[in-house]
Amino acid sequence: MNDFRLKYSEYMQWAKENAHITYNLAASGLMNYPEPIFNPSKQIIEISGDDHYGYAPLVDAIADKYKISTEMVFTTIGSSMANYITMALLIDTGDDIIIEHPTYELLISTAKNLGANVIYLPRPVENQYLINPDDLKSCITQNTKLVILTNLHNPSSALTDNETLKEIGKIAKKVGAYVLIDEVYLDSAFSNSVNSSIHTSDNFIVTSSLTKVYGLSGLRCGWTLAQPDVIKQLWRLSDLMYVKHALPAEILSVNAFSKLDKIKQWAKLILEKNRIELKEFFKNQEDLEVDIFDYGMTVFPKLKNIGVDQLNTTLIKKYDTIIAPGRFFGMPDHLRIGYGNDPEKFREGLHRLGEAISKTRK
Ligand SMILES: Cc1ncc(COP(=O)(O)O)c(C=O)c1O
């Protein structure tokens, strides 16, 4: 076998194999949306139709959400596939790609799968994980093809403001690079003043989905937004991977879009409730060090005095609880807690985490 290109993700395998754990503080998304998103007795779901290059009502709904033209929308299977196909289009073997550090492991493993030479852009914990455009100037070269960021930031939830994004766009443009911004958590900022970066610069490409903020992971509804020339190429590249999407999932996704404001309110309430719980929890945790933002759905504390893997082994074996170890994000002394879970379960999960920390420390 040729080992030059990475052909797996340590993190994804770990996350899937541990998904059954009852108090899952490792998951980053909202709990499943509880109400049926359509009424089966009123609606007949078609099995197939003409959705080869996008199911028009779904493409319309996404374009409408972002106030962009339908030529700027490519629909995918979750943001995972959006990231994969978009990176596969833009990366050739040996290309220099800049990726924020720390970040979501899949972004790095996907770039390595495509044979990229990965260069890291620091998001320092001391600077609350904010990006300093001067750091990008220091690591970008004429060979850089793509800069990859998450906004909100996974794992910390830090928000990159529009001024910084504009600056990043300009720096990348000077060397002819695109900027891929994974916005799968952006809507958990719940603010009208936070807009998608698709409007910021024409070398920006945005990926997102309904999976994380809206508790609709099962629909696998994701998308890439970009200038029409890029979108055309994405549709062509997708011909190599599959014939079309599952139409029933696309129809249900359109229904979900028609109720998105309601679903968003539901998500907001859960996250606000759990954030209060989280802040209380951290007040009593001397071994955990973190700044909690008033938006987002994950936090990334530093764990002092105890090894993160040691803690997680105890959590899994004795407490039926799990956190995401920081090693998957390139920071082994940190851990990520997702707080989109059912509030009852979340409170109990935090309680168990506190117990495990105090027992492991002794
Ligand atoms: C930054 C980021 N992008 C994409 C994904 C995958 O999202 P989806 O479920 O839409 O494929 C995740 C999942 O954790 C993520 O954290």
Side-chain angles (χ1 to χ4, degrees):
M1 273 249 280
N2 172 8
D3 276 341
F4 177 63
R5 292 193 294 112
L6 189 71
K7 297 192 176 86
Y8 54 84
S9 157
E10 290 282 2
Y11 169 72
M12 192 48 83
Q13 184 184 10
W14 177 89
K16 287 180 180 177
E17 287 180 352
N18 288 292
H20 62 280
I21 290 176
T22 308
Y23 301 98
N24 192 336
L25 303 175
S28 60
L30 249 286
M31 61 183 282
N32 288 335
Y33 185 63
E35 277 178 49
I37 57 168
F38 75 110
N39 180 347
S41 62
K42 285 194 183 151
Q43 187 173 14
I44 295 163
I45 301 288
E46 301 291 337
I47 297 291
S48 56
D50 182 18
D51 58 341
H52 290 93
Y53 288 113
Y55 178 52
L58 181 57
V59 172
D60 286 348
I62 297 168
D64 189 49
K65 170 174 163 52
Y66 290 93
K67 308 290 172 240
I68 54 177
S69 79
T70 52
E71 290 83 55
M72 291 178 72
V73 177
F74 168 68
T75 54
T76 64
I77 305 162
S79 20
S80 306
M81 197 55 152
N83 286 335
Y84 191 88
I85 302 193
T86 307
M87 287 164 75
L89 179 71
L90 300 175
I91 297 174
D92 286 318
T93 306
D95 279 350
D96 283 351
I97 303 301
I98 294 176
I99 306 184
E100 62 180 12
H101 169 86
T103 198
Y104 177 51
E105 189 253 24
L106 260 292
L107 297 174
I108 299 169
S109 41
T110 300
K112 289 189 175 169
N113 173 257
L114 296 165
N117 173 35
V118 178
I119 295 156
Y120 294 99
L121 170 70
R123 298 190 67 147
V125 54
E126 314 82 61
N127 197 22
Q128 295 198 308
Y129 300 101
L130 296 180
I131 299 169
N132 179 346
D134 287 341
D135 289 333
L136 180 60
K137 279 185 194 153
S138 307
C139 61
I140 206 161
T141 70
Q142 292 298 330
N143 297 326
T144 305
K145 293 286 169 54
L146 182 63
V147 177
I148 303 179
L149 311 171
T150 56
N151 196 30
L152 306 179
H153 180 219
N154 182 6
S156 73
S157 288
L159 171 71
T160 304
D161 64 35
N162 208 256
E163 282 314 300
T164 308
L165 286 169
K166 267 188 198 153
E167 190 62 27
I168 289 169
K170 271 191 213 156
I171 298 166
K173 214 170 206 180
K174 272 194 186 151
V175 301
Y178 283 103
V179 182
L180 170 60
I181 306 187
D182 179 327
E183 292 185 353
V184 79
Y185 300 103
L186 190 67
D187 287 0
S188 67
F190 300 110
S191 162
N192 292 336
S193 59
V194 175
N195 285 316
S196 170
S197 48
I198 193 61
H199 304 285
T200 305
S201 183
D202 60 11
N203 60 338
F204 278 10
I205 298 177
V206 164
T207 55
S208 192
S209 74
L210 291 182
T211 66
K212 294 289 169 189
V213 181
Y214 299 97
L216 296 169
S217 179
L219 290 179
R220 296 285 94 212
C221 173
W223 53 87
T224 298
L225 314 176
Q227 294 303 310
D229 60 319
V230 174
I231 296 296
K232 264 190 206 144
Q233 294 176 71
L234 287 171
W235 287 119
R236 297 294 306 274
L237 183 57
S238 74
D239 287 341
L240 270 59
M241 300 184 192
Y242 45 77
V243 175
K244 61 198 271 312
H245 291 230
L247 184 62
E250 294 180 306
I251 292 172
L252 294 179
S253 300
V254 173
N255 288 355
F257 268 100
S258 72
K259 298 181 177 167
L260 215 53
D261 285 342
K262 185 177 164 205
I263 301 173
K264 206 169 177 173
Q265 283 313 311
W266 163 82
K268 187 168 182 268
L269 284 179
I270 291 178
L271 290 170
E272 283 172 352
K273 199 168 179 182
N274 287 349
R275 195 176 295 121
I276 292 170
E277 204 69 50
L278 197 62
K279 285 184 178 177
E280 273 310 304
F281 172 77
F282 277 111
K283 272 187 197 162
N284 304 316
Q285 295 298 325
E286 290 167 9
D287 292 318
L288 290 171
E289 210 174 73
V290 73
D291 290 313
I292 304 178
F293 302 111
D294 283 326
Y295 47 79
M297 46 207 303
T298 59
V299 285
F300 194 52
K302 180 176 180 169
L303 180 64
K304 298 181 287 184
N305 307 317
I306 310 166
V308 173
D309 284 327
Q310 184 195 357
L311 172 68
N312 221 12
T313 305
T314 307
L315 273 172
I316 296 168
K317 280 197 182 145
K318 297 197 177 148
Y319 294 91
D320 197 12
T321 301
I322 193 166
I323 48 86
R327 67 185 153 87
F328 289 127
F329 303 87
M331 293 180 71
D333 56 356
H334 283 60
L335 54 99
R336 192 191 67 185
I337 298 174
Y339 59 93
N341 210 338
D342 166 70
E344 290 293 308
K345 260 193 177 172
F346 182 65
R347 187 180 314 120
E348 179 60 24
L350 283 184
H351 173 69
R352 288 170 183 239
L353 174 61
E355 290 271 302
I357 289 176
S358 71
K359 292 262 164 57
T360 314
R361 196 192 315 117
K362 277 173 197 159

